[in-house]
Amino acid sequence: MTTPLKGVRVLELARVLAGPWAGQLLADLGADVVKVERAGVGDDTRQWGPPFVRGADGANLSAAYYHSTNRGKRSIEVDFESEQGRALVRRLAAHADVVIENFKVGGLAKYGLDYAGLSAINPRLIYCSVTGFGQDGPYASRPGYDFMIQGLGGIMSLTGEPEGEPVKTGVAFADIFTGMYASVAILAALQGRTATGAGCHIDMALLDTQVAVLGNQALNYFVAGEPPPRMGNAHSNVVPYQVVPAADGHIIIASGTDGQYVKICEVLGVPELAHDPRFAKNADRLANRGELMALLTARTATFTKDDLLAKLVAVGVPVGPINRLDEVFAHPQVVYRGLRVELPAADAAGGSIPTLRSPIVIDGEPVFAPTPSPALGADTNDVLRDPAWGGAGPAAAAGG
């Protein structure tokens, strides 16, 4: 399996989602990620169920949520309240390339495990802090949670039907994007260290990330001077580009060019609309969106989903169904690409634990860690005795 980060050591002092998501991606790329968990408790998400992964003996092997973001790591238990535990983390950090943490601003300083404390013993250390609002500013001390950040950061003002309430995304949008950006920053810092020999402190904030991924909608606001409204499933800049009704449900039409619009009109049996001056160009269609979509959807509703999809695909118009997750993972392209993977786990019911692999493919080979999420403290002895991590001694050193 492709392991471009083989030999890179990551110490993860993070829990829940954004920090662990970054750690999992680095593990997928081949890094040795050691997850430090609170003795006897572990990552909060171990209990965020049901559903729970079940063991061969019926035992609870942690919640599905935990397994979604901790693949490929090793787990050790540490009591941060004990000097032994803090000394162990410092010893591991001395041999790490990267630390990922998501404590409140200043939360690790009292343990001497903040950037200042750990970089003093390892100047090459790349230290990535993940917080709700960043390391400075008037909100820095506040806790930040994905749902709240989605509201504060603007995405909910863009999501939902115009006359309905604002709606969050169905997954933790800000957390996952922050984990992705943190991974990019860490990789860039590793590359930069090859030239300078020095580590650095990466400051990742959920709010910064959420605002940054507003993308074209932010530019629409900057240029037009008016906040974009919620538009349901319609597109702010392109028409027709939205969910449309069929006789037995709904499909998505994602027309991006005037030529595709012409083909849609022909398939729907209204070729005259293709050249109607009210709708001929995208700017015209935007100006007359309501009138046009009423005419088009009156026609789409006369076709079945499968018939309309087939006819539009045949003429090169981008279209697609709206699948439930069972339909997603039965889709022939998803099956072919192997996005669901069963990772061998002798202690799990059925001998494996399912995972959703990384979408990264390098030289035709999917890149993902081949081992499932670890049991709490399962690797304490191995990590403490691992020469790459300083061969730190018996499990008792963990202080837990």
Side-chain angles (χ1 to χ4, degrees), residues 39-130:
V41 178
D43 191 308
D44 302 6
T45 61
R46 287 185 180 275
Q47 304 305 318
W48 283 16
F52 294 95
V53 171
R54 292 297 171 189
D57 60 358
N60 172 356
L61 300 185
S62 296
Y65 195 118
Y66 170 78
H67 288 279
S68 75
T69 190
N70 288 290
R71 174 180 61 245
K73 302 174 186 178
R74 298 196 281 173
S75 169
I76 67 172
E77 293 183 87
V78 170
D79 177 8
F80 282 94
E81 299 299 327
S82 74
E83 180 50 41
Q84 272 190 317
R86 295 192 292 271
L88 172 59
V89 174
R90 286 193 289 270
R91 184 158 42 181
L92 294 174
H95 295 274
D97 295 290
V98 178
V99 165
I100 303 172
E101 63 91 5
N102 65 348
F103 283 70
K104 293 179 182 178
V105 173
L108 287 176
K110 63 182 178 181
Y111 301 123
L113 304 179
D114 58 344
Y115 175 64
L118 295 185
S119 65
I121 61 175
N122 182 359
R124 290 175 53 82
L125 185 66
I126 294 162
Y127 190 104
C128 180
S129 295
V130 179

Side-chain angles (χ1 to χ4, degrees), residues 4-35:
L5 294 185
K6 184 177 181 179
V8 173
R9 291 183 292 278
V10 179
L11 191 63
E12 183 184 295
L13 310 178
R15 60 199 185 281
V16 187
L17 185 51
W21 195 266
Q24 179 172 263
L25 180 52
L26 299 178
D28 282 340
L29 292 169
D32 180 8
V33 180
V34 171
K35 184 178 183 70

Side-chain angles (χ1 to χ4, degrees), residues 1 21 32 159 192 214 235 242 264 273 288 293 304 363:
M1 181 170 288
W21 195 266
D32 180 8
T159 307
L214 292 175
H235 196 288
Q242 65 182 74
I264 291 168
L273 294 182
N288 298 288
M293 292 312 302
T304 66
D363 288 336

Side-chain angles (χ1 to χ4, degrees), residues 150-239:
Q150 287 195 41
L152 183 61
I155 193 67
M156 288 179 63
S157 76
L158 305 172
T159 307
E161 294 297 328
E163 303 305 321
E165 67 177 16
V167 176
K168 69 178 180 65
T169 62
V171 296
F173 189 83
D175 274 336
I176 289 177
F177 263 109
T178 301
M180 291 291 296
Y181 273 101
S183 302
V184 172
I186 288 166
L187 294 175
L190 286 168
Q191 175 63 23
R193 192 181 67 178
T194 64
T196 67
C200 62
H201 187 196
I202 297 169
D203 174 9
M204 295 299 308
L206 269 65
L207 180 61
D208 293 355
T209 301
Q210 177 60 83
V211 173
V213 298
L214 292 175
N216 63 296
Q217 291 283 41
L219 268 292
N220 287 340
Y221 164 63
F222 293 163
V223 173
E226 293 290 335
R230 292 195 305 279
M231 300 183 66
N233 289 310
H235 196 288
S236 58
N237 297 98
V238 187
V239 177

Side-chain angles (χ1 to χ4, degrees), residues 244-247 268 270 291-303:
V244 298
L268 294 180
V270 284
E291 187 176 2
L292 173 61
M293 292 312 302
L295 294 168
L296 293 183
T297 56
R299 294 296 304 156
T300 64
T302 67
F303 294 77

